[in-house]
Amino acid sequence: MTAPRAHFVETLAAIEHGIQDLANEVDGRINQALRVLLDRDAALAKQVIESDREINARRVELERTCITMMAEQAPVATDLRLAVSILFTATELERVGDYAVAIARIGANIPGKPRVFMPYVAGVGPYRQKCDEVAAAGYEGFALSKDAVTA
């Protein structure tokens, strides 16, 4: 394998790991936000809200790395599809992180924010369980490696 190709493979692997790490981080934030919703935990709500900048920064860094790699290496076919998929996925994960913040704001009695009526939160438990199952299975609906794509 040539040096430029080896660098490309290493960069792509790092981007793949980065998107998986971001997915796990966002999943954790959703878990925390749901705890806020169920327990009305203002301290945890503040933590979720403040962590949003970190998720946003990680998305930007992933996108920057991915775009730089695409500009320098000009991937084609499967590699290009994977890179573009990662770009779109990073944006969507960041959006889910924003939803975690919104849930945390609704769920906690944050000073200055009035409590609001929440008519139904009973479906949160089964939904969270399904999300945990998907994460534990490695997000198999989204193949992150070329081996999985070509299989």
Side-chain angles (χ1 to χ4, degrees):
M1 185 178 304
T2 65
R5 181 67 183 169
H7 175 68
F8 170 73
V9 170
E10 289 171 11
T11 302
L12 194 56
I15 292 169
E16 288 180 56
H17 289 300
I19 199 75
Q20 288 175 329
D21 290 345
L22 182 59
N24 289 330
E25 184 73 24
V26 168
D27 183 60
R29 292 300 183 259
I30 288 290
N31 254 339
Q32 291 174 330
L34 292 176
R35 284 277 37 107
V36 169
L37 184 65
L38 297 173
D39 299 341
R40 306 292 285 191
D41 185 338
L44 185 57
K46 184 177 180 184
Q47 183 181 344
V48 171
I49 292 165
E50 290 174 353
S51 70
D52 189 49
R53 286 189 182 121
E54 178 186 333
I55 289 173
N56 294 348
R58 290 177 72 178
R59 177 203 44 103
V60 168
E61 180 59 25
L62 265 172
E63 287 180 349
R64 186 197 61 75
T65 304
C66 197
I67 290 169
T68 300
M69 181 268 304
M70 291 169 66
E72 292 175 351
Q73 300 292 328
V76 295
T78 303
D79 292 334
L80 179 60
R81 286 189 294 274
L82 178 60
V84 171
S85 295
I86 288 172
L87 283 172
F88 281 105
T89 302
T91 300
E92 294 305 315
L93 287 171
E94 189 268 332
R95 184 181 316 203
V96 172
D98 292 342
Y99 291 147
V101 169
I103 292 168
R105 285 187 173 134
I106 291 169
N109 188 17
I110 298 171
K113 182 169 179 60
R115 282 185 173 234
V116 295
F117 175 65
M118 293 184 295
Y120 182 73
V121 295
V124 170
Y127 178 75
R128 180 70 251 161
Q129 182 180 3
K130 187 64 176 172
C131 290
D132 289 342
E133 290 170 9
V134 169
Y139 306 100
E140 59 191 3
F142 182 77
L144 292 174
S145 69
K146 282 189 353 184
D147 296 336
V149 171
T150 57

